[in-house]
Structures are given as structure tokens and as C-alpha cells.
Amino acid sequence: FYEDNGYLLIKKLISDEDIERFRKKFVRICNKEMNPPGVLIMRDEIHRPNVVQSEETVNKVHDFWEDEGLFRNCTLPE
């Protein structure tokens, strides 16, 4: 699977509660409801004035180690 897709998918490794917590925080960052220090937001280049930044246009969130809630996903024992 990794050779074909470039990633591993391990279902149910992280609890549904943790996934939902991370998802909600991601959406809040995408919607500019919060701005954690040092976070870099990568999004599709959209040059239309009426397009609002949302979870639909953000590809990745980088450099989130200063945010305890986001960095928690990197420190889970699973």
C-alpha cells in the first residue's frame, strides 16, 4: 500500500474523540477563528476576491508545535 500510495493508513489507531478534537481545531484555524503562534497555513492559490478561506481551501497546517492541542497528535502513545 505504501509503495502505491506513499502513506500508510492504520484504521482506528487514534480514537474518534481525538480525531474530532483535531478536526474542530483545524476548522477553527482555517476559518481564522484562532491563530496559534508560529502556525503556517498552506492553501490552494485562489485569486478570486469572493472566495473565503475555509477548510475547503486549506491544504495543510505546518509549524504547530507551539500549540499544545495541535501538537498532541504527534505525542499520542498510539
Side-chain angles (χ1 to χ4, degrees), residues 17-73:
E17 293 81 19
D18 279 333
I19 295 293
E20 185 62 16
R21 187 177 310 114
F22 299 139
R23 188 194 70 76
K24 284 181 180 179
K25 195 143 195 178
F26 176 77
V27 169
R28 289 185 65 216
I29 291 170
C30 293
N31 293 335
K32 296 184 177 181
E33 295 172 17
M34 63 180 299
N35 186 18
V39 168
L40 175 63
I41 298 171
M42 305 294 289
R43 61 184 160 282
D44 291 330
E45 286 296 319
I46 298 176
H47 298 290
R48 293 172 285 181
N50 59 343
V51 174
V52 176
Q53 179 180 315
S54 71
E55 68 271 17
E56 301 295 322
T57 61
V58 173
N59 294 329
K60 302 174 190 172
V61 174
H62 285 272
D63 302 334
F64 52 83
W65 58 80
E66 290 186 48
D67 184 280
E68 186 177 317
L70 288 174
F71 193 69
R72 184 174 179 274
N73 74 328

Side-chain angles (χ1 to χ4, degrees), residues 10-21:
I10 304 172
K11 293 182 178 185
K12 300 296 181 185
L13 179 66
I14 307 298
S15 73
D16 291 339
E17 293 81 19
D18 279 333
I19 295 293
E20 185 62 16
R21 187 177 310 114

